[in-house]
Amino acid sequence: MRRLLRRAGIALLALLLLAAAAFTAGVLYPDEALRIEGAPAEVAFLHGSIVNPRDGSVLRDATLVVSGRKITALGAHGTVALPPGVRQVDARGKFLIPGLWDMHIHSWFGMSDYLHYPLYIANGITSVRDMGGCLDQEAPFFACDASKRTWSARAEAGQAVGPRIVASGSFPIDAQNRMSDGFPAYLAPASAADARALVAHAQASKWDFIKLYNNLPRDAYFALMDEARRRGVAVAGHLPASIGAVEAARAGQKSIEHAALFPLECSSTAAAQHLQQPRPRGAALLREILPAYSEPLCREVFDVMARSGTWFTPTHVTRRYEANAANPNFLDDPRLAYINHAWRFVWKLDAKRMRKELQQPGAQADYTAFYRKGLELTGRAHQAGVAVLAGSDAPDAYIFPGFSLHDELQELVAAGLTPAQALRAATFDAARFAGQEARYGTLEAGKAADIVVLEANPLDDIAHTRRIHAVMFNGYLYQQPQLERMHAFVRGKAASFAVTCKAIWSLLRSREFRNMFAD
């Protein structure tokens, strides 16, 4: 028996050593971003229909010429001279739109360049706003600015497949942020002095903007906004629980994220909630706010946000997930094939947490009503002049990089925007928010050659933005074989043992991630 136990022990040890060796090999195995060889194309798209999202017009039977990574000419067919030797692409029956922008994404670890970014291009998304940065340079949870700048530059140079990152925010700024444990106190500002120190740090670190999260004391928030205005640092993100939307708009917050905004702020209980910290959460909060809707409050919020130029990124797909987290058909999404096993596990844990929440008496109805009320109020806010942006929050739980922006465009139409208005939110208005409408957002001579060729008119049905025939990013033309290669590349990475090992190791190493789950 002892000999048998000894042999079993040796076998178990050998298996453990073998597993450790395999895991180490997976972590060390080199993974690189996708590169598709080619050069910026000199192309003439012939007989296509050019959609202008700024005014919803369509120029039919048109010619569009690209050279030197820019659109050099466009007009009715027969009125545009073609350069000698230009490659001619028959766009008959096709609709050309500007490259799409996803105005709320996240980049995880040092892996998004090959796990996520090709899916943005494959889905016609040529520009993104990244809403998170890192604290720990050595083992980040969110990818660090230096990495994202490198990835973006390589993509624009054709050295990797990925979108242009037009702006990258800080890590989430929150006075109760466990991610910042062990870092300087001002990175989780609980006082006005800390908040001003944070803004000075943001300016010195050259952050594109400060990304706010849920918990900031009122004095810290207003000091942060005052110091940011003085130093010229942009501020965007969540509306802290202690602050009203009217206050945030008047203080100069550039954008407010997520569709919870208006159901919360249009409630007659909102003012009391701003002073009640911590305020109720989950179904208890929804039961408090939904019956307390106030039309005058809503009108005031819409009016002040519109007059202040405060933008709104609703990310309705996140509220849709919450309302459907107990629906097995919703969770059994075929696009999971694009999500690595380690991250799928994290998503499943989140869905389990959300299902438990929905099992409370009345919670399913409350979350469904909350989601639908968010849609209704987004449409009304847009009608009242609040500028709306299209953003997905990928890769949050069951939010698929690239794909989910198209889901969000359909949510915006469900909210009451026309297809033309939804398309504008993901093109011209996104570029205008970034102050780059002179270079992007419409197809005009002199602008960047970011073009999506569609099989059908998106102004008839916004779902047609999914029917992608070809994508041009910064002058690089990707047609069906290249687009399918992008899809296949990410599916392969999602299924990769080595990538799964890297993802697990990144989570284990990240002090930010460990802090989030510390007792």
Side-chain angles (χ1 to χ4, degrees), residues 232-251:
V233 176
V235 180
H238 292 206
L239 180 69
S242 62
I243 305 299
V246 167
E247 294 175 308
R250 288 173 173 159

Side-chain angles (χ1 to χ4, degrees), residues 192-201 203 210 220-235 251:
D194 282 348
R196 292 186 186 279
L198 170 74
V199 178
H201 176 79
Q203 185 181 48
I210 293 172
Y221 177 86
F222 290 115
L224 185 151
M225 295 304 301
D226 178 68
E227 192 70 16
R229 184 169 53 251
R230 192 175 71 82
R231 292 179 179 267
V233 176
V235 180

Side-chain angles (χ1 to χ4, degrees), residues 262-387:
F262 294 130
L264 288 168
E265 290 299 299
C266 294
S267 165
S268 60
T269 65
Q273 289 166 7
H274 297 321
L275 301 176
Q276 179 186 355
Q277 300 301 319
R279 70 182 178 192
R281 299 181 63 183
L285 176 62
L286 303 190
R287 281 192 293 273
E288 185 176 309
I289 66 167
L290 289 171
Y293 174 77
S294 167
E295 179 65 23
L297 276 178
C298 234
R299 285 199 300 267
E300 181 188 17
V301 171
F302 296 161
D303 179 63
V304 173
M305 286 183 65
R307 286 190 290 104
S308 301
T310 307
W311 295 71
F312 176 49
T313 318
T315 68
H316 285 292
V317 286
T318 57
R319 302 288 82 80
R320 184 185 67 166
Y321 154 67
E322 290 175 347
N324 285 279
N327 181 349
N329 292 328
F330 180 87
L331 298 180
D332 188 23
D333 194 307
R335 296 175 294 185
L336 286 169
Y338 295 91
I339 304 302
N340 180 260
H341 294 292
W343 205 245
R344 277 192 231 178
F345 178 73
V346 174
W347 282 13
K348 288 178 181 178
L349 288 178
D350 190 82
K352 182 179 179 181
R353 173 197 62 81
M354 195 64 220
R355 282 197 302 275
K356 185 177 179 180
E357 172 77 8
L358 293 173
Q359 287 168 359
Q360 298 180 50
Q364 179 65 72
D366 289 335
Y367 273 92
T368 300
F370 184 57
Y371 159 58
R372 290 175 178 167
K373 193 67 175 178
L375 287 172
E376 174 199 333
L377 294 180
T378 290
R380 292 194 46 215
H382 184 265
Q383 291 173 357
V386 176

Side-chain angles (χ1 to χ4, degrees), residues 448-460:
D450 290 356
I451 303 166
V452 185
V453 183
L454 300 175
E455 296 282 359
N457 188 352
L459 304 185
D460 293 337

